[in-house]
Amino acid sequence: DAKTTQPNSMESNEEEPVHLPCNHSTISGTDYIHWYRQLPSQGPEYVIHGLTSNVNNRMASLAIAEDRKSSTLILHRATLRDAAVYYCILRTNAGKSTFGDGTTLTVKP
Amino acid sequence: DTGVSQDPRHKITKRGQNVTFRCDPISEHNRLYWYRQTLGQGPEFLTYFQNEAQLEKSRLLSDRFSAERPKGSFSTLEIQRTEQGDSAMYLCASSLNPHNNYGYTFGSGTRLTVV
């Protein structure tokens, strides 16, 4: 299974940018990089995804390394509501995806 | 569209009893997935369907677990002879095909407690 590696936890101050890293050195050419976040007692929520180029949406930006072996989720101004567990996964042609344990983001007021 | 619905939200059962969970995916999504999540861990893949066909089951899924998706719409996950180790959040997700360029939409999950 295609695997990703993320730091266990990160902290940020409110209204500051947050850069959440993810390593995926075994990525294949057709694998998409997806990010989700999960609040307590809820299912994961889709954040953003990309293949090769950087992507922006209303929630976040995704920066993908040129060799695609790593990516960074960027929250431009963290709010208290952004405190969650963030998962980086690879979506492959095989159908299923493997979730790691994600990064727990703490936002300090 | 109301998203992915899961029922019930919470289930407490005695060890040895059978339980069944239901998932209603987004109507146009042809892929449906079941994941299990324990406290502090990421979701763990259990099985997935393409329409009504079950395409893959995790090797971790014992024969006490069975899933169906009749007519390619809603899905059920049944656990027979529950054990305390089955206590977890059971998550359902749906997606369009080609799946790698579409995100999962997850439900809120069913929290199972086996006492």
Side-chain angles (χ1 to χ4, degrees), chain A residues 16-32:
Chain A
E16 290 186 355
V18 182
H19 291 233
L20 298 169
C22 180
N23 287 320
H24 28 80
S25 58
T26 60
I27 191 169
S28 298
T30 56
D31 293 348
Y32 280 74

Side-chain angles (χ1 to χ4, degrees), chain A residues 56-75:
Chain A
N56 300 297
N57 66 21
R58 64 175 180 81
M59 292 179 72
S61 296
L62 175 60
I64 301 173
E66 196 169 333
D67 64 5
R68 301 208 325 124
K69 296 189 177 195
S70 65
S71 62
T72 302
L73 179 71
I74 302 165
L75 307 178

Side-chain angles (χ1 to χ4, degrees), chain A residues 2-16:
Chain A
K3 294 282 179 21
T4 60
T5 305
Q6 299 177 253
N8 289 336
S9 62
M10 292 187 66
E11 282 190 354
S12 172
N13 294 318
E14 196 175 12
E15 298 190 6
E16 290 186 355

